[in-house]
mmCIF file of all heavy atoms in Angstrom:
data_model
loop_
_atom_site.group_PDB
_atom_site.id
_atom_site.type_symbol
_atom_site.label_atom_id
_atom_site.label_comp_id
_atom_site.label_asym_id
_atom_site.label_seq_id
_atom_site.Cartn_x
_atom_site.Cartn_y
_atom_site.Cartn_z
ATOM 1 N N ALA A 58 31.557 -38.094 -11.857
ATOM 2 C CA ALA A 58 32.632 -39.088 -12.038
ATOM 3 C C ALA A 58 32.055 -40.486 -12.044
ATOM 4 O O ALA A 58 31.093 -40.777 -11.302
ATOM 5 C CB ALA A 58 33.661 -38.923 -10.926
ATOM 6 N N PRO A 59 32.630 -41.379 -12.858
ATOM 7 C CA PRO A 59 31.997 -42.697 -13.041
ATOM 8 C C PRO A 59 32.027 -43.656 -11.864
ATOM 9 O O PRO A 59 31.213 -44.558 -11.790
ATOM 10 C CB PRO A 59 32.767 -43.280 -14.229
ATOM 11 C CG PRO A 59 34.060 -42.547 -14.251
ATOM 12 C CD PRO A 59 33.768 -41.179 -13.760
ATOM 13 N N THR A 60 32.961 -43.466 -10.941
ATOM 14 C CA THR A 60 33.005 -44.355 -9.771
ATOM 15 C C THR A 60 33.286 -43.519 -8.531
ATOM 16 O O THR A 60 33.734 -42.372 -8.615
ATOM 17 C CB THR A 60 34.138 -45.409 -9.908
ATOM 18 O OG1 THR A 60 35.414 -44.742 -9.863
ATOM 19 C CG2 THR A 60 33.998 -46.203 -11.194
ATOM 20 N N LEU A 61 33.046 -44.101 -7.363
ATOM 21 C CA LEU A 61 33.326 -43.412 -6.100
ATOM 22 C C LEU A 61 34.826 -43.113 -5.977
ATOM 23 O O LEU A 61 35.194 -42.028 -5.516
ATOM 24 C CB LEU A 61 32.843 -44.252 -4.929
ATOM 25 C CG LEU A 61 33.100 -43.661 -3.512
ATOM 26 C CD1 LEU A 61 32.394 -42.324 -3.388
ATOM 27 C CD2 LEU A 61 32.648 -44.639 -2.454
ATOM 28 N N ARG A 62 35.641 -44.059 -6.391
ATOM 29 C CA ARG A 62 37.093 -43.854 -6.305
ATOM 30 C C ARG A 62 37.514 -42.658 -7.167
ATOM 31 O O ARG A 62 38.323 -41.808 -6.739
ATOM 32 C CB ARG A 62 37.807 -45.130 -6.788
ATOM 33 C CG ARG A 62 39.330 -45.021 -6.833
ATOM 34 C CD ARG A 62 39.949 -46.369 -7.141
ATOM 35 N NE ARG A 62 41.347 -46.246 -7.526
ATOM 36 C CZ ARG A 62 41.772 -46.100 -8.787
ATOM 37 N NH1 ARG A 62 40.891 -46.061 -9.781
ATOM 38 N NH2 ARG A 62 43.057 -45.996 -9.054
ATOM 39 N N ARG A 63 36.989 -42.585 -8.371
ATOM 40 C CA ARG A 63 37.309 -41.465 -9.248
ATOM 41 C C ARG A 63 36.791 -40.146 -8.665
ATOM 42 O O ARG A 63 37.446 -39.094 -8.743
ATOM 43 C CB ARG A 63 36.687 -41.663 -10.640
ATOM 44 C CG ARG A 63 37.275 -42.827 -11.449
ATOM 45 C CD ARG A 63 38.699 -42.582 -11.850
ATOM 46 N NE ARG A 63 39.143 -43.551 -12.828
ATOM 47 C CZ ARG A 63 40.410 -43.775 -13.128
ATOM 48 N NH1 ARG A 63 41.359 -43.112 -12.510
ATOM 49 N NH2 ARG A 63 40.753 -44.683 -14.035
ATOM 50 N N LYS A 64 35.624 -40.197 -8.090
ATOM 51 C CA LYS A 64 35.021 -39.018 -7.475
ATOM 52 C C LYS A 64 35.904 -38.482 -6.354
ATOM 53 O O LYS A 64 36.183 -37.264 -6.268
ATOM 54 C CB LYS A 64 33.624 -39.337 -6.948
ATOM 55 C CG LYS A 64 32.825 -38.133 -6.446
ATOM 56 C CD LYS A 64 31.551 -38.596 -5.782
ATOM 57 C CE LYS A 64 30.627 -39.308 -6.737
ATOM 58 N NZ LYS A 64 29.941 -38.383 -7.677
ATOM 59 N N MET A 65 36.372 -39.378 -5.487
ATOM 60 C CA MET A 65 37.196 -38.967 -4.345
ATOM 61 C C MET A 65 38.549 -38.413 -4.763
ATOM 62 O O MET A 65 39.040 -37.422 -4.273
ATOM 63 C CB MET A 65 37.372 -40.154 -3.403
ATOM 64 C CG MET A 65 36.107 -40.584 -2.675
ATOM 65 S SD MET A 65 36.307 -42.032 -1.620
ATOM 66 C CE MET A 65 37.434 -41.378 -0.379
ATOM 67 N N SER A 66 39.161 -39.063 -5.787
ATOM 68 C CA SER A 66 40.475 -38.595 -6.246
ATOM 69 C C SER A 66 40.341 -37.237 -6.933
ATOM 70 O O SER A 66 41.225 -36.370 -6.804
ATOM 71 C CB SER A 66 41.116 -39.621 -7.154
ATOM 72 O OG SER A 66 40.324 -39.875 -8.306
ATOM 73 N N LEU A 67 39.261 -37.063 -7.703
ATOM 74 C CA LEU A 67 39.061 -35.798 -8.387
ATOM 75 C C LEU A 67 38.757 -34.686 -7.374
ATOM 76 O O LEU A 67 39.251 -33.559 -7.524
ATOM 77 C CB LEU A 67 37.901 -35.915 -9.383
ATOM 78 C CG LEU A 67 37.691 -34.727 -10.323
ATOM 79 C CD1 LEU A 67 38.938 -34.438 -11.142
ATOM 80 C CD2 LEU A 67 36.511 -34.986 -11.275
ATOM 81 N N MET A 68 38.011 -35.004 -6.344
ATOM 82 C CA MET A 68 37.713 -34.005 -5.323
ATOM 83 C C MET A 68 39.003 -33.582 -4.590
ATOM 84 O O MET A 68 39.203 -32.382 -4.323
ATOM 85 C CB MET A 68 36.736 -34.586 -4.295
ATOM 86 C CG MET A 68 36.178 -33.575 -3.284
ATOM 87 S SD MET A 68 35.003 -34.323 -2.122
ATOM 88 C CE MET A 68 33.777 -34.987 -3.271
ATOM 89 N N ALA A 69 39.872 -34.542 -4.309
ATOM 90 C CA ALA A 69 41.142 -34.232 -3.675
ATOM 91 C C ALA A 69 41.998 -33.320 -4.582
ATOM 92 O O ALA A 69 42.651 -32.390 -4.120
ATOM 93 C CB ALA A 69 41.893 -35.503 -3.351
ATOM 94 N N LYS A 70 41.974 -33.605 -5.887
ATOM 95 C CA LYS A 70 42.730 -32.787 -6.847
ATOM 96 C C LYS A 70 42.197 -31.350 -6.883
ATOM 97 O O LYS A 70 42.989 -30.394 -6.880
ATOM 98 C CB LYS A 70 42.648 -33.431 -8.240
ATOM 99 C CG LYS A 70 43.446 -32.699 -9.313
ATOM 100 C CD LYS A 70 43.311 -33.424 -10.633
ATOM 101 C CE LYS A 70 44.207 -32.787 -11.697
ATOM 102 N NZ LYS A 70 43.883 -31.395 -12.003
ATOM 103 N N VAL A 71 40.885 -31.201 -6.901
ATOM 104 C CA VAL A 71 40.283 -29.862 -6.913
ATOM 105 C C VAL A 71 40.696 -29.086 -5.635
ATOM 106 O O VAL A 71 41.036 -27.899 -5.693
ATOM 107 C CB VAL A 71 38.738 -29.963 -7.026
ATOM 108 C CG1 VAL A 71 38.071 -28.626 -6.748
ATOM 109 C CG2 VAL A 71 38.353 -30.439 -8.417
ATOM 110 N N GLN A 72 40.654 -29.770 -4.499
ATOM 111 C CA GLN A 72 41.060 -29.127 -3.257
ATOM 112 C C GLN A 72 42.517 -28.693 -3.309
ATOM 113 O O GLN A 72 42.881 -27.618 -2.833
ATOM 114 C CB GLN A 72 40.837 -30.091 -2.081
ATOM 115 C CG GLN A 72 39.379 -30.312 -1.753
ATOM 116 C CD GLN A 72 39.153 -31.370 -0.673
ATOM 117 O OE1 GLN A 72 39.974 -32.301 -0.522
ATOM 118 N NE2 GLN A 72 38.101 -31.257 0.081
ATOM 119 N N ASP A 73 43.372 -29.534 -3.906
ATOM 120 C CA ASP A 73 44.789 -29.178 -4.044
ATOM 121 C C ASP A 73 44.958 -27.917 -4.870
ATOM 122 O O ASP A 73 45.747 -27.032 -4.539
ATOM 123 C CB ASP A 73 45.557 -30.320 -4.722
ATOM 124 C CG ASP A 73 45.918 -31.454 -3.780
ATOM 125 O OD1 ASP A 73 45.742 -31.301 -2.567
ATOM 126 O OD2 ASP A 73 46.375 -32.496 -4.286
ATOM 127 N N GLU A 74 44.232 -27.835 -5.990
ATOM 128 C CA GLU A 74 44.368 -26.687 -6.883
ATOM 129 C C GLU A 74 43.971 -25.397 -6.188
ATOM 130 O O GLU A 74 44.658 -24.349 -6.313
ATOM 131 C CB GLU A 74 43.520 -26.875 -8.154
ATOM 132 C CG GLU A 74 43.802 -28.129 -8.964
ATOM 133 C CD GLU A 74 45.192 -28.155 -9.615
ATOM 134 O OE1 GLU A 74 46.024 -27.274 -9.319
ATOM 135 O OE2 GLU A 74 45.416 -29.051 -10.441
ATOM 136 N N ILE A 75 42.875 -25.431 -5.425
ATOM 137 C CA ILE A 75 42.462 -24.241 -4.691
ATOM 138 C C ILE A 75 43.530 -23.899 -3.643
ATOM 139 O O ILE A 75 43.858 -22.722 -3.414
ATOM 140 C CB ILE A 75 41.076 -24.478 -3.985
ATOM 141 C CG1 ILE A 75 39.991 -24.702 -5.035
ATOM 142 C CG2 ILE A 75 40.735 -23.311 -3.085
ATOM 143 C CD1 ILE A 75 39.697 -23.511 -5.931
ATOM 144 N N GLY A 76 44.083 -24.923 -2.988
ATOM 145 C CA GLY A 76 45.138 -24.712 -2.010
ATOM 146 C C GLY A 76 46.368 -24.080 -2.629
ATOM 147 O O GLY A 76 46.985 -23.182 -2.040
ATOM 148 N N HIS A 77 46.726 -24.500 -3.829
ATOM 149 C CA HIS A 77 47.861 -23.905 -4.517
ATOM 150 C C HIS A 77 47.604 -22.429 -4.781
ATOM 151 O O HIS A 77 48.499 -21.579 -4.592
ATOM 152 C CB HIS A 77 48.095 -24.582 -5.883
ATOM 153 C CG HIS A 77 48.491 -26.033 -5.782
ATOM 154 N ND1 HIS A 77 48.528 -26.870 -6.867
ATOM 155 C CD2 HIS A 77 48.871 -26.775 -4.716
ATOM 156 C CE1 HIS A 77 48.918 -28.073 -6.483
ATOM 157 N NE2 HIS A 77 49.118 -28.039 -5.164
ATOM 158 N N GLY A 78 46.383 -22.119 -5.185
ATOM 159 C CA GLY A 78 46.042 -20.719 -5.431
ATOM 160 C C GLY A 78 46.189 -19.865 -4.166
ATOM 161 O O GLY A 78 46.718 -18.743 -4.204
ATOM 162 N N GLN A 79 45.757 -20.428 -3.028
ATOM 163 C CA GLN A 79 45.866 -19.684 -1.763
ATOM 164 C C GLN A 79 47.318 -19.474 -1.350
ATOM 165 O O GLN A 79 47.692 -18.421 -0.834
ATOM 166 C CB GLN A 79 45.069 -20.394 -0.673
ATOM 167 C CG GLN A 79 43.589 -20.417 -0.909
ATOM 168 C CD GLN A 79 42.964 -19.032 -1.028
ATOM 169 O OE1 GLN A 79 43.424 -18.073 -0.393
ATOM 170 N NE2 GLN A 79 41.928 -18.903 -1.832
ATOM 171 N N LEU A 80 48.146 -20.515 -1.521
ATOM 172 C CA LEU A 80 49.572 -20.388 -1.208
ATOM 173 C C LEU A 80 50.223 -19.287 -2.072
ATOM 174 O O LEU A 80 51.005 -18.457 -1.563
ATOM 175 C CB LEU A 80 50.301 -21.716 -1.466
ATOM 176 C CG LEU A 80 50.081 -22.830 -0.447
ATOM 177 C CD1 LEU A 80 50.662 -24.147 -0.980
ATOM 178 C CD2 LEU A 80 50.716 -22.484 0.891
ATOM 179 N N LEU A 81 49.895 -19.291 -3.344
ATOM 180 C CA LEU A 81 50.481 -18.316 -4.249
ATOM 181 C C LEU A 81 49.973 -16.908 -3.970
ATOM 182 O O LEU A 81 50.710 -15.929 -4.088
ATOM 183 C CB LEU A 81 50.185 -18.720 -5.692
ATOM 184 C CG LEU A 81 50.936 -19.961 -6.179
ATOM 185 C CD1 LEU A 81 50.279 -20.535 -7.429
ATOM 186 C CD2 LEU A 81 52.409 -19.628 -6.446
ATOM 187 N N LEU A 82 48.705 -16.802 -3.579
ATOM 188 C CA LEU A 82 48.176 -15.467 -3.202
ATOM 189 C C LEU A 82 48.897 -14.912 -2.011
ATOM 190 O O LEU A 82 49.102 -13.700 -1.909
ATOM 191 C CB LEU A 82 46.663 -15.558 -2.932
ATOM 192 C CG LEU A 82 45.770 -15.598 -4.150
ATOM 193 C CD1 LEU A 82 44.314 -15.869 -3.726
ATOM 194 C CD2 LEU A 82 45.838 -14.278 -4.940
ATOM 195 N N ARG A 83 49.284 -15.779 -1.082
ATOM 196 C CA ARG A 83 50.038 -15.338 0.094
ATOM 197 C C ARG A 83 51.396 -14.740 -0.329
ATOM 198 O O ARG A 83 51.832 -13.725 0.204
ATOM 199 C CB ARG A 83 50.237 -16.504 1.067
ATOM 200 C CG ARG A 83 50.967 -16.100 2.333
ATOM 201 C CD ARG A 83 50.121 -15.149 3.169
ATOM 202 N NE ARG A 83 50.892 -14.566 4.269
ATOM 203 C CZ ARG A 83 51.650 -13.483 4.186
ATOM 204 N NH1 ARG A 83 51.753 -12.830 3.035
ATOM 205 N NH2 ARG A 83 52.312 -13.041 5.247
ATOM 206 N N VAL A 84 52.033 -15.411 -1.309
ATOM 207 C CA VAL A 84 53.304 -14.877 -1.833
ATOM 208 C C VAL A 84 53.062 -13.573 -2.563
ATOM 209 O O VAL A 84 53.809 -12.590 -2.377
ATOM 210 C CB VAL A 84 53.966 -15.923 -2.794
ATOM 211 C CG1 VAL A 84 55.237 -15.357 -3.429
ATOM 212 C CG2 VAL A 84 54.268 -17.229 -2.029
ATOM 213 N N ALA A 85 52.009 -13.512 -3.360
ATOM 214 C CA ALA A 85 51.698 -12.284 -4.098
ATOM 215 C C ALA A 85 51.340 -11.160 -3.150
ATOM 216 O O ALA A 85 51.663 -9.970 -3.401
ATOM 217 C CB ALA A 85 50.548 -12.542 -5.061
ATOM 218 N N GLU A 86 50.672 -11.494 -2.035
ATOM 219 C CA GLU A 86 50.248 -10.491 -1.066
ATOM 220 C C GLU A 86 51.438 -9.729 -0.518
ATOM 221 O O GLU A 86 51.375 -8.499 -0.323
ATOM 222 C CB GLU A 86 49.475 -11.181 0.055
ATOM 223 C CG GLU A 86 48.830 -10.260 1.060
ATOM 224 C CD GLU A 86 48.025 -11.046 2.077
ATOM 225 O OE1 GLU A 86 48.284 -12.230 2.279
ATOM 226 O OE2 GLU A 86 47.125 -10.424 2.665
ATOM 227 N N ASP A 87 52.534 -10.437 -0.222
ATOM 228 C CA ASP A 87 53.734 -9.761 0.305
ATOM 229 C C ASP A 87 54.295 -8.781 -0.715
ATOM 230 O O ASP A 87 54.790 -7.703 -0.368
ATOM 231 C CB ASP A 87 54.804 -10.805 0.695
ATOM 232 C CG ASP A 87 54.523 -11.460 2.018
ATOM 233 O OD1 ASP A 87 53.721 -10.892 2.816
ATOM 234 O OD2 ASP A 87 55.088 -12.535 2.265
#
Side-chain angles (χ1 to χ4, degrees):
T60 67
L61 179 60
R62 176 173 166 269
R63 292 294 192 196
K64 187 188 298 285
M65 292 177 66
S66 61
L67 189 58
M68 190 180 302
K70 183 179 185 298
V71 168
Q72 290 174 331
D73 281 350
E74 303 293 10
I75 296 295
H77 295 169
Q79 294 301 328
L80 285 170
L81 290 162
L82 281 172
R83 182 66 189 87
V84 176
E86 187 177 23
D87 282 342

